[in-house]
Amino acid sequence: IDTLVTVRVLGYRDCWELYDSASTTQYLGRIRAPFLAINSMDDPVVPAHGLPMDKIRENPYTAMALVKHGGHLGFFSGVKPRSWYLTPVVEFLEAIVSPAHLKHNEALGKAKL
């Protein structure tokens, strides 16, 4: 559909130009606040081989949690399915507001949260 319709309607040369323009990858270098991305290896929409791991590694404000299963936004587990992604998000937030983290940022001359 993107190749046959979306590209023509929006005026792109091909679907790859469309995907590049819609990608947040171009903004990763500009992130200046702690940022956590969560992705699964089996995501059919955003496959692991297409993740910009080099850009994430280059920016000290970004972190990637790459899990084995989850599909696309399907971070559920258990017999009575419950979403588990909130646990690592809360842990991440607690870590970045910890006194040790804030003191480290002050020593480096970086802005506090």
Side-chain angles (χ1 to χ4, degrees):
I1 289 183
D2 284 342
T3 300
L4 297 174
V5 178
T6 311
V7 165
R8 291 179 181 160
V9 170
L10 297 177
Y12 290 97
R13 286 189 312 264
D14 54 35
C15 65
W16 302 112
E17 183 183 31
L18 167 66
Y19 300 154
D20 284 343
S21 73
S23 173
T24 57
T25 299
Q26 59 190 309
Y27 303 108
L28 284 174
R30 295 190 219 164
I31 293 175
R32 292 293 177 261
F35 174 82
L36 172 65
I38 301 175
N39 206 82
S40 69
M41 298 287 288
D42 65 349
D43 188 327
V45 178
V46 184
H49 69 270
L51 294 173
M53 296 305 293
D54 55 336
K55 292 182 188 261
I56 291 168
R57 282 187 201 101
E58 290 169 4
N59 188 332
Y61 295 96
T62 61
M64 169 66 79
L66 191 56
V67 297
K68 196 170 193 174
H69 301 291
H72 189 68
L73 303 176
F75 301 110
F76 296 94
S77 65
V79 176
K80 183 179 177 187
R82 299 195 128 186
S83 183
W84 59 261
Y85 76 91
L86 290 176
T87 300
V89 168
V90 169
E91 289 173 358
F92 179 77
L93 293 172
E94 287 174 345
I96 63 173
V97 297
S98 72
H101 179 80
L102 295 175
K103 186 175 180 179
H104 176 73
N105 279 349
E106 280 184 39
L108 293 175
K110 295 180 180 177
K112 290 193 259 182
L113 297 175

